[in-house]
Amino acid sequence: MRMPIKLASSLRILLVLVSLSTGLLSCQTIGQGDGTAASEKQKQVLESQRQLVRSALDKGKPEEALKSLRDLLREHPEDGQLQNLMGLTQLALKNPDRAIRHLLKAYKIEHKVAVALNLTSAYIENGDFEKAQALLKAMVKQADKEKYQYKERIYHNLGYVHVRLNQQTTAANWFKEALDENPTFFPSYLELARIYEKMKRPAMAAKTYRQSLEYCGVCFEPVYSLTMLYVNMKKFADARLVLHNFSKNEGVAPNDRAAAVKLMKLVDSGARDQRKG
């Protein structure tokens, strides 16, 4: 199972690039003239095309994914994976209403938790919070039956529903539930820290941002949030240390490294003003 992908550079709701087929490329002994061999080859070609779409989405290129998916869905309108990928593409293009249509069809074709999770993300983006919450609660039971291994993702989206409803305490409880299920799940640390900030609990927010960084040292979102929290607290040395440690990590993307350099200039400027004062 793949990890969640980002939606418009945000980790607030979770999306999953799922592969619903099983045994597609398994080794088989088939005669060259066998029609089954041709069928298997077609399946392999289709899976390769799906993988190109997944790759485009992973790279943040939904326009590229859309071009491929239009042709593929004309040929394979009942392919659940393609419908799921089109739903994710429409979400990335800020078109949640269209995403819902594709994800509903994908969910009817392949009644899987991973697809339902994407559908709830589309509901949340569209402001359909009651539908999202009802489906997420149903997914908790379905996850047990399906033996879905990532229940923390369901709890995370439940938390974010309540964030959008401005029910911070309930949201925090769901994020804690996600972290109880998986203590390494950094998106829920990130959202929990944001809630602590809203609750005017900066020390707890800083601690929780640092926990998120323990599990994703190359992620810029918690770095930015923690740095700005320290700046607002006039803790410029702590802010510099966060950015310094982030920049030392070889896995940081070039654009995130550049953003950290710009942020360091802001921190240095604040530190100079503090000394002058």
Side-chain angles (χ1 to χ4, degrees), residues 73-94:
L73 278 172
R74 274 194 287 269
E75 295 180 32
H76 309 282
E78 299 303 315
D79 187 285
Q81 294 183 62
L82 291 177
Q83 291 291 349
N84 178 70
L85 290 169
M86 180 60 93
L88 296 180
T89 299
Q90 294 294 338
L91 269 177
L93 293 170
K94 308 286 190 179

mmCIF file with all atom_site columns, all heavy atoms in Angstrom, residues 73-94:
data_model
loop_
_atom_site.group_PDB
_atom_site.id
_atom_site.type_symbol
_atom_site.label_atom_id
_atom_site.label_alt_id
_atom_site.label_comp_id
_atom_site.label_asym_id
_atom_site.label_entity_id
_atom_site.label_seq_id
_atom_site.pdbx_PDB_ins_code
_atom_site.Cartn_x
_atom_site.Cartn_y
_atom_site.Cartn_z
_atom_site.occupancy
_atom_site.B_iso_or_equiv
_atom_site.pdbx_formal_charge
_atom_site.auth_seq_id
_atom_site.auth_comp_id
_atom_site.auth_asym_id
_atom_site.auth_atom_id
_atom_site.pdbx_PDB_model_num
ATOM 1   N N   . LEU A 1 73 ? -10.143 6.301  -19.884 1.00 0.00 ? 73 LEU A N   1
ATOM 2   C CA  . LEU A 1 73 ? -11.508 6.066  -19.409 1.00 0.00 ? 73 LEU A CA  1
ATOM 3   C C   . LEU A 1 73 ? -12.500 5.901  -20.551 1.00 0.00 ? 73 LEU A C   1
ATOM 4   O O   . LEU A 1 73 ? -13.542 5.252  -20.375 1.00 0.00 ? 73 LEU A O   1
ATOM 5   C CB  . LEU A 1 73 ? -11.946 7.201  -18.480 1.00 0.00 ? 73 LEU A CB  1
ATOM 6   C CG  . LEU A 1 73 ? -11.457 7.056  -17.042 1.00 0.00 ? 73 LEU A CG  1
ATOM 7   C CD1 . LEU A 1 73 ? -11.762 8.307  -16.229 1.00 0.00 ? 73 LEU A CD1 1
ATOM 8   C CD2 . LEU A 1 73 ? -12.079 5.841  -16.367 1.00 0.00 ? 73 LEU A CD2 1
ATOM 9   N N   . ARG A 1 74 ? -12.197 6.477  -21.713 1.00 0.00 ? 74 ARG A N   1
ATOM 10  C CA  . ARG A 1 74 ? -13.062 6.226  -22.866 1.00 0.00 ? 74 ARG A CA  1
ATOM 11  C C   . ARG A 1 74 ? -13.003 4.754  -23.256 1.00 0.00 ? 74 ARG A C   1
ATOM 12  O O   . ARG A 1 74 ? -14.000 4.160  -23.669 1.00 0.00 ? 74 ARG A O   1
ATOM 13  C CB  . ARG A 1 74 ? -12.637 7.111  -24.049 1.00 0.00 ? 74 ARG A CB  1
ATOM 14  C CG  . ARG A 1 74 ? -13.271 8.497  -24.035 1.00 0.00 ? 74 ARG A CG  1
ATOM 15  C CD  . ARG A 1 74 ? -13.100 9.203  -25.378 1.00 0.00 ? 74 ARG A CD  1
ATOM 16  N NE  . ARG A 1 74 ? -11.726 9.634  -25.582 1.00 0.00 ? 74 ARG A NE  1
ATOM 17  C CZ  . ARG A 1 74 ? -11.273 10.828 -25.232 1.00 0.00 ? 74 ARG A CZ  1
ATOM 18  N NH1 . ARG A 1 74 ? -12.073 11.703 -24.644 1.00 0.00 ? 74 ARG A NH1 1
ATOM 19  N NH2 . ARG A 1 74 ? -10.005 11.156 -25.452 1.00 0.00 ? 74 ARG A NH2 1
ATOM 20  N N   . GLU A 1 75 ? -11.829 4.151  -23.111 1.00 0.00 ? 75 GLU A N   1
ATOM 21  C CA  . GLU A 1 75 ? -11.660 2.736  -23.450 1.00 0.00 ? 75 GLU A CA  1
ATOM 22  C C   . GLU A 1 75 ? -12.077 1.813  -22.318 1.00 0.00 ? 75 GLU A C   1
ATOM 23  O O   . GLU A 1 75 ? -12.539 0.696  -22.556 1.00 0.00 ? 75 GLU A O   1
ATOM 24  C CB  . GLU A 1 75 ? -10.195 2.464  -23.809 1.00 0.00 ? 75 GLU A CB  1
ATOM 25  C CG  . GLU A 1 75 ? -9.705  3.180  -25.059 1.00 0.00 ? 75 GLU A CG  1
ATOM 26  C CD  . GLU A 1 75 ? -8.251  2.855  -25.358 1.00 0.00 ? 75 GLU A CD  1
ATOM 27  O OE1 . GLU A 1 75 ? -7.825  1.725  -25.046 1.00 0.00 ? 75 GLU A OE1 1
ATOM 28  O OE2 . GLU A 1 75 ? -7.537  3.736  -25.875 1.00 0.00 ? 75 GLU A OE2 1
ATOM 29  N N   . HIS A 1 76 ? -11.912 2.274  -21.063 1.00 0.00 ? 76 HIS A N   1
ATOM 30  C CA  . HIS A 1 76 ? -12.160 1.404  -19.900 1.00 0.00 ? 76 HIS A CA  1
ATOM 31  C C   . HIS A 1 76 ? -13.003 2.147  -18.855 1.00 0.00 ? 76 HIS A C   1
ATOM 32  O O   . HIS A 1 76 ? -12.541 2.394  -17.740 1.00 0.00 ? 76 HIS A O   1
ATOM 33  C CB  . HIS A 1 76 ? -10.835 0.967  -19.278 1.00 0.00 ? 76 HIS A CB  1
ATOM 34  C CG  . HIS A 1 76 ? -9.843  0.398  -20.245 1.00 0.00 ? 76 HIS A CG  1
ATOM 35  N ND1 . HIS A 1 76 ? -9.923  -0.893 -20.731 1.00 0.00 ? 76 HIS A ND1 1
ATOM 36  C CD2 . HIS A 1 76 ? -8.751  0.958  -20.841 1.00 0.00 ? 76 HIS A CD2 1
ATOM 37  C CE1 . HIS A 1 76 ? -8.911  -1.109 -21.568 1.00 0.00 ? 76 HIS A CE1 1
ATOM 38  N NE2 . HIS A 1 76 ? -8.194  -0.001 -21.644 1.00 0.00 ? 76 HIS A NE2 1
ATOM 39  N N   . PRO A 1 77 ? -14.256 2.476  -19.176 1.00 0.00 ? 77 PRO A N   1
ATOM 40  C CA  . PRO A 1 77 ? -15.083 3.268  -18.246 1.00 0.00 ? 77 PRO A CA  1
ATOM 41  C C   . PRO A 1 77 ? -15.430 2.532  -16.953 1.00 0.00 ? 77 PRO A C   1
ATOM 42  O O   . PRO A 1 77 ? -15.759 3.182  -15.951 1.00 0.00 ? 77 PRO A O   1
ATOM 43  C CB  . PRO A 1 77 ? -16.347 3.567  -19.060 1.00 0.00 ? 77 PRO A CB  1
ATOM 44  C CG  . PRO A 1 77 ? -16.404 2.473  -20.092 1.00 0.00 ? 77 PRO A CG  1
ATOM 45  C CD  . PRO A 1 77 ? -14.978 2.174  -20.426 1.00 0.00 ? 77 PRO A CD  1
ATOM 46  N N   . GLU A 1 78 ? -15.348 1.208  -16.960 1.00 0.00 ? 78 GLU A N   1
ATOM 47  C CA  . GLU A 1 78 ? -15.693 0.438  -15.767 1.00 0.00 ? 78 GLU A CA  1
ATOM 48  C C   . GLU A 1 78 ? -14.470 -0.012 -14.979 1.00 0.00 ? 78 GLU A C   1
ATOM 49  O O   . GLU A 1 78 ? -14.566 -0.912 -14.137 1.00 0.00 ? 78 GLU A O   1
ATOM 50  C CB  . GLU A 1 78 ? -16.541 -0.780 -16.159 1.00 0.00 ? 78 GLU A CB  1
ATOM 51  C CG  . GLU A 1 78 ? -17.869 -0.431 -16.821 1.00 0.00 ? 78 GLU A CG  1
ATOM 52  C CD  . GLU A 1 78 ? -18.719 0.480  -15.942 1.00 0.00 ? 78 GLU A CD  1
ATOM 53  O OE1 . GLU A 1 78 ? -18.819 0.207  -14.728 1.00 0.00 ? 78 GLU A OE1 1
ATOM 54  O OE2 . GLU A 1 78 ? -19.292 1.447  -16.474 1.00 0.00 ? 78 GLU A OE2 1
ATOM 55  N N   . ASP A 1 79 ? -13.334 0.586  -15.249 1.00 0.00 ? 79 ASP A N   1
ATOM 56  C CA  . ASP A 1 79 ? -12.112 0.253  -14.511 1.00 0.00 ? 79 ASP A CA  1
ATOM 57  C C   . ASP A 1 79 ? -12.079 1.069  -13.213 1.00 0.00 ? 79 ASP A C   1
ATOM 58  O O   . ASP A 1 79 ? -11.957 2.304  -13.242 1.00 0.00 ? 79 ASP A O   1
ATOM 59  C CB  . ASP A 1 79 ? -10.880 0.562  -15.369 1.00 0.00 ? 79 ASP A CB  1
ATOM 60  C CG  . ASP A 1 79 ? -9.590  0.076  -14.708 1.00 0.00 ? 79 ASP A CG  1
ATOM 61  O OD1 . ASP A 1 79 ? -9.143  0.723  -13.738 1.00 0.00 ? 79 ASP A OD1 1
ATOM 62  O OD2 . ASP A 1 79 ? -9.048  -0.936 -15.160 1.00 0.00 ? 79 ASP A OD2 1
ATOM 63  N N   . GLY A 1 80 ? -12.198 0.393  -12.084 1.00 0.00 ? 80 GLY A N   1
ATOM 64  C CA  . GLY A 1 80 ? -12.267 1.078  -10.797 1.00 0.00 ? 80 GLY A CA  1
ATOM 65  C C   . GLY A 1 80 ? -11.018 1.876  -10.472 1.00 0.00 ? 80 GLY A C   1
ATOM 66  O O   . GLY A 1 80 ? -11.101 2.975  -9.909  1.00 0.00 ? 80 GLY A O   1
ATOM 67  N N   . GLN A 1 81 ? -9.867  1.347  -10.823 1.00 0.00 ? 81 GLN A N   1
ATOM 68  C CA  . GLN A 1 81 ? -8.618  2.058  -10.536 1.00 0.00 ? 81 GLN A CA  1
ATOM 69  C C   . GLN A 1 81 ? -8.521  3.359  -11.324 1.00 0.00 ? 81 GLN A C   1
ATOM 70  O O   . GLN A 1 81 ? -8.085  4.388  -10.801 1.00 0.00 ? 81 GLN A O   1
ATOM 71  C CB  . GLN A 1 81 ? -7.428  1.162  -10.849 1.00 0.00 ? 81 GLN A CB  1
ATOM 72  C CG  . GLN A 1 81 ? -7.319  -0.055 -9.950  1.00 0.00 ? 81 GLN A CG  1
ATOM 73  C CD  . GLN A 1 81 ? -6.083  -0.856 -10.266 1.00 0.00 ? 81 GLN A CD  1
ATOM 74  O OE1 . GLN A 1 81 ? -4.976  -0.356 -10.130 1.00 0.00 ? 81 GLN A OE1 1
ATOM 75  N NE2 . GLN A 1 81 ? -6.257  -2.093 -10.700 1.00 0.00 ? 81 GLN A NE2 1
ATOM 76  N N   . LEU A 1 82 ? -8.943  3.323  -12.590 1.00 0.00 ? 82 LEU A N   1
ATOM 77  C CA  . LEU A 1 82 ? -8.903  4.538  -13.402 1.00 0.00 ? 82 LEU A CA  1
ATOM 78  C C   . LEU A 1 82 ? -9.888  5.575  -12.874 1.00 0.00 ? 82 LEU A C   1
ATOM 79  O O   . LEU A 1 82 ? -9.591  6.777  -12.859 1.00 0.00 ? 82 LEU A O   1
ATOM 80  C CB  . LEU A 1 82 ? -9.210  4.206  -14.868 1.00 0.00 ? 82 LEU A CB  1
ATOM 81  C CG  . LEU A 1 82 ? -8.147  3.392  -15.615 1.00 0.00 ? 82 LEU A CG  1
ATOM 82  C CD1 . LEU A 1 82 ? -8.613  3.088  -17.030 1.00 0.00 ? 82 LEU A CD1 1
ATOM 83  C CD2 . LEU A 1 82 ? -6.804  4.133  -15.651 1.00 0.00 ? 82 LEU A CD2 1
ATOM 84  N N   . GLN A 1 83 ? -11.064 5.121  -12.454 1.00 0.00 ? 83 GLN A N   1
ATOM 85  C CA  . GLN A 1 83 ? -12.034 6.059  -11.888 1.00 0.00 ? 83 GLN A CA  1
ATOM 86  C C   . GLN A 1 83 ? -11.488 6.683  -10.595 1.00 0.00 ? 83 GLN A C   1
ATOM 87  O O   . GLN A 1 83 ? -11.658 7.881  -10.344 1.00 0.00 ? 83 GLN A O   1
ATOM 88  C CB  . GLN A 1 83 ? -13.365 5.344  -11.609 1.00 0.00 ? 83 GLN A CB  1
ATOM 89  C CG  . GLN A 1 83 ? -14.141 4.905  -12.837 1.00 0.00 ? 83 GLN A CG  1
ATOM 90  C CD  . GLN A 1 83 ? -14.714 6.072  -13.628 1.00 0.00 ? 83 GLN A CD  1
ATOM 91  O OE1 . GLN A 1 83 ? -14.729 7.209  -13.194 1.00 0.00 ? 83 GLN A OE1 1
ATOM 92  N NE2 . GLN A 1 83 ? -15.208 5.779  -14.836 1.00 0.00 ? 83 GLN A NE2 1
ATOM 93  N N   . ASN A 1 84 ? -10.810 5.869  -9.794  1.00 0.00 ? 84 ASN A N   1
ATOM 94  C CA  . ASN A 1 84 ? -10.194 6.383  -8.564  1.00 0.00 ? 84 ASN A CA  1
ATOM 95  C C   . ASN A 1 84 ? -9.122  7.424  -8.896  1.00 0.00 ? 84 ASN A C   1
ATOM 96  O O   . ASN A 1 84 ? -9.062  8.499  -8.287  1.00 0.00 ? 84 ASN A O   1
ATOM 97  C CB  . ASN A 1 84 ? -9.576  5.226  -7.781  1.00 0.00 ? 84 ASN A CB  1
ATOM 98  C CG  . ASN A 1 84 ? -8.874  5.692  -6.514  1.00 0.00 ? 84 ASN A CG  1
ATOM 99  O OD1 . ASN A 1 84 ? -9.492  6.122  -5.555  1.00 0.00 ? 84 ASN A OD1 1
ATOM 100 N ND2 . ASN A 1 84 ? -7.549  5.625  -6.520  1.00 0.00 ? 84 ASN A ND2 1
ATOM 101 N N   . LEU A 1 85 ? -8.295  7.119  -9.887  1.00 0.00 ? 85 LEU A N   1
ATOM 102 C CA  . LEU A 1 85 ? -7.231  8.042  -10.278 1.00 0.00 ? 85 LEU A CA  1
ATOM 103 C C   . LEU A 1 85 ? -7.792  9.339  -10.858 1.00 0.00 ? 85 LEU A C   1
ATOM 104 O O   . LEU A 1 85 ? -7.253  10.425 -10.616 1.00 0.00 ? 85 LEU A O   1
ATOM 105 C CB  . LEU A 1 85 ? -6.295  7.371  -11.280 1.00 0.00 ? 85 LEU A CB  1
ATOM 106 C CG  . LEU A 1 85 ? -5.413  6.255  -10.701 1.00 0.00 ? 85 LEU A CG  1
ATOM 107 C CD1 . LEU A 1 85 ? -4.735  5.470  -11.818 1.00 0.00 ? 85 LEU A CD1 1
ATOM 108 C CD2 . LEU A 1 85 ? -4.358  6.835  -9.757  1.00 0.00 ? 85 LEU A CD2 1
ATOM 109 N N   . MET A 1 86 ? -8.890  9.238  -11.595 1.00 0.00 ? 86 MET A N   1
ATOM 110 C CA  . MET A 1 86 ? -9.513  10.457 -12.119 1.00 0.00 ? 86 MET A CA  1
ATOM 111 C C   . MET A 1 86 ? -10.079 11.298 -10.976 1.00 0.00 ? 86 MET A C   1
ATOM 112 O O   . MET A 1 86 ? -10.001 12.533 -10.995 1.00 0.00 ? 86 MET A O   1
ATOM 113 C CB  . MET A 1 86 ? -10.612 10.113 -13.120 1.00 0.00 ? 86 MET A CB  1
ATOM 114 C CG  . MET A 1 86 ? -11.304 11.355 -13.689 1.00 0.00 ? 86 MET A CG  1
ATOM 115 S SD  . MET A 1 86 ? -10.195 12.497 -14.576 1.00 0.00 ? 86 MET A SD  1
ATOM 116 C CE  . MET A 1 86 ? -10.393 11.890 -16.263 1.00 0.00 ? 86 MET A CE  1
ATOM 117 N N   . GLY A 1 87 ? -10.626 10.627 -9.968  1.00 0.00 ? 87 GLY A N   1
ATOM 118 C CA  . GLY A 1 87 ? -11.116 11.357 -8.799  1.00 0.00 ? 87 GLY A CA  1
ATOM 119 C C   . GLY A 1 87 ? -10.003 12.117 -8.101  1.00 0.00 ? 87 GLY A C   1
ATOM 120 O O   . GLY A 1 87 ? -10.151 13.298 -7.748  1.00 0.00 ? 87 GLY A O   1
ATOM 121 N N   . LEU A 1 88 ? -8.861  11.461 -7.921  1.00 0.00 ? 88 LEU A N   1
ATOM 122 C CA  . LEU A 1 88 ? -7.711  12.116 -7.294  1.00 0.00 ? 88 LEU A CA  1
ATOM 123 C C   . LEU A 1 88 ? -7.194  13.268 -8.156  1.00 0.00 ? 88 LEU A C   1
ATOM 124 O O   . LEU A 1 88 ? -6.805  14.323 -7.638  1.00 0.00 ? 88 LEU A O   1
ATOM 125 C CB  . LEU A 1 88 ? -6.585  11.103 -7.078  1.00 0.00 ? 88 LEU A CB  1
ATOM 126 C CG  . LEU A 1 88 ? -6.874  9.958  -6.107  1.00 0.00 ? 88 LEU A CG  1
ATOM 127 C CD1 . LEU A 1 88 ? -5.655  9.042  -6.005  1.00 0.00 ? 88 LEU A CD1 1
ATOM 128 C CD2 . LEU A 1 88 ? -7.243  10.478 -4.739  1.00 0.00 ? 88 LEU A CD2 1
ATOM 129 N N   . THR A 1 89 ? -7.204  13.055 -9.459  1.00 0.00 ? 89 THR A N   1
ATOM 130 C CA  . THR A 1 89 ? -6.757  14.108 -10.376 1.00 0.00 ? 89 THR A CA  1
ATOM 131 C C   . THR A 1 89 ? -7.656  15.331 -10.286 1.00 0.00 ? 89 THR A C   1
ATOM 132 O O   . THR A 1 89 ? -7.186  16.474 -10.216 1.00 0.00 ? 89 THR A O   1
ATOM 133 C CB  . THR A 1 89 ? -6.725  13.569 -11.820 1.00 0.00 ? 89 THR A CB  1
ATOM 134 O OG1 . THR A 1 89 ? -5.804  12.473 -11.890 1.00 0.00 ? 89 THR A OG1 1
ATOM 135 C CG2 . THR A 1 89 ? -6.304  14.639 -12.805 1.00 0.00 ? 89 THR A CG2 1
ATOM 136 N N   . GLN A 1 90 ? -8.967  15.103 -10.260 1.00 0.00 ? 90 GLN A N   1
ATOM 137 C CA  . GLN A 1 90 ? -9.907  16.223 -10.150 1.00 0.00 ? 90 GLN A CA  1
ATOM 138 C C   . GLN A 1 90 ? -9.760  16.948 -8.817  1.00 0.00 ? 90 GLN A C   1
ATOM 139 O O   . GLN A 1 90 ? -9.884  18.178 -8.751  1.00 0.00 ? 90 GLN A O   1
ATOM 140 C CB  . GLN A 1 90 ? -11.347 15.729 -10.336 1.00 0.00 ? 90 GLN A CB  1
ATOM 141 C CG  . GLN A 1 90 ? -11.672 15.188 -11.716 1.00 0.00 ? 90 GLN A CG  1
ATOM 142 C CD  . GLN A 1 90 ? -11.614 16.254 -12.800 1.00 0.00 ? 90 GLN A CD  1
ATOM 143 O OE1 . GLN A 1 90 ? -11.726 17.445 -12.519 1.00 0.00 ? 90 GLN A OE1 1
ATOM 144 N NE2 . GLN A 1 90 ? -11.443 15.833 -14.048 1.00 0.00 ? 90 GLN A NE2 1
ATOM 145 N N   . LEU A 1 91 ? -9.459  16.212 -7.767  1.00 0.00 ? 91 LEU A N   1
ATOM 146 C CA  . LEU A 1 91 ? -9.203  16.861 -6.480  1.00 0.00 ? 91 LEU A CA  1
ATOM 147 C C   . LEU A 1 91 ? -7.966  17.752 -6.558  1.00 0.00 ? 91 LEU A C   1
ATOM 148 O O   . LEU A 1 91 ? -7.961  18.875 -6.055  1.00 0.00 ? 91 LEU A O   1
ATOM 149 C CB  . LEU A 1 91 ? -9.010  15.807 -5.386  1.00 0.00 ? 91 LEU A CB  1
ATOM 150 C CG  . LEU A 1 91 ? -10.257 15.367 -4.620  1.00 0.00 ? 91 LEU A CG  1
ATOM 151 C CD1 . LEU A 1 91 ? -9.900  14.278 -3.623  1.00 0.00 ? 91 LEU A CD1 1
ATOM 152 C CD2 . LEU A 1 91 ? -10.898 16.539 -3.900  1.00 0.00 ? 91 LEU A CD2 1
ATOM 153 N N   . ALA A 1 92 ? -6.914  17.243 -7.177  1.00 0.00 ? 92 ALA A N   1
ATOM 154 C CA  . ALA A 1 92 ? -5.687  18.020 -7.315  1.00 0.00 ? 92 ALA A CA  1
ATOM 155 C C   . ALA A 1 92 ? -5.905  19.265 -8.165  1.00 0.00 ? 92 ALA A C   1
ATOM 156 O O   . ALA A 1 92 ? -5.226  20.276 -7.987  1.00 0.00 ? 92 ALA A O   1
ATOM 157 C CB  . ALA A 1 92 ? -4.587  17.160 -7.922  1.00 0.00 ? 92 ALA A CB  1
ATOM 158 N N   . LEU A 1 93 ? -6.896  19.195 -9.074  1.00 0.00 ? 93 LEU A N   1
ATOM 159 C CA  . LEU A 1 93 ? -7.233  20.332 -9.928  1.00 0.00 ? 93 LEU A CA  1
ATOM 160 C C   . LEU A 1 93 ? -8.278  21.237 -9.285  1.00 0.00 ? 93 LEU A C   1
ATOM 161 O O   . LEU A 1 93 ? -8.840  22.107 -9.962  1.00 0.00 ? 93 LEU A O   1
ATOM 162 C CB  . LEU A 1 93 ? -7.737  19.821 -11.288 1.00 0.00 ? 93 LEU A CB  1
ATOM 163 C CG  . LEU A 1 93 ? -6.686  19.120 -12.154 1.00 0.00 ? 93 LEU A CG  1
ATOM 164 C CD1 . LEU A 1 93 ? -7.340  18.449 -13.348 1.00 0.00 ? 93 LEU A CD1 1
ATOM 165 C CD2 . LEU A 1 93 ? -5.616  20.098 -12.617 1.00 0.00 ? 93 LEU A CD2 1
ATOM 166 N N   . LYS A 1 94 ? -8.554  21.025 -7.995  1.00 0.00 ? 94 LYS A N   1
ATOM 167 C CA  . LYS A 1 94 ? -9.505  21.854 -7.240  1.00 0.00 ? 94 LYS A CA  1
ATOM 168 C C   . LYS A 1 94 ? -10.922 21.733 -7.785  1.00 0.00 ? 94 LYS A C   1
ATOM 169 O O   . LYS A 1 94 ? -11.654 22.713 -7.875  1.00 0.00 ? 94 LYS A O   1
ATOM 170 C CB  . LYS A 1 94 ? -9.081  23.325 -7.261  1.00 0.00 ? 94 LYS A CB  1
ATOM 171 C CG  . LYS A 1 94 ? -7.661  23.601 -6.835  1.00 0.00 ? 94 LYS A CG  1
ATOM 172 C CD  . LYS A 1 94 ? -7.499  23.457 -5.360  1.00 0.00 ? 94 LYS A CD  1
ATOM 173 C CE  . LYS A 1 94 ? -6.133  23.975 -4.925  1.00 0.00 ? 94 LYS A CE  1
ATOM 174 N NZ  . LYS A 1 94 ? -5.927  23.888 -3.489  1.00 0.00 ? 94 LYS A NZ  1
#
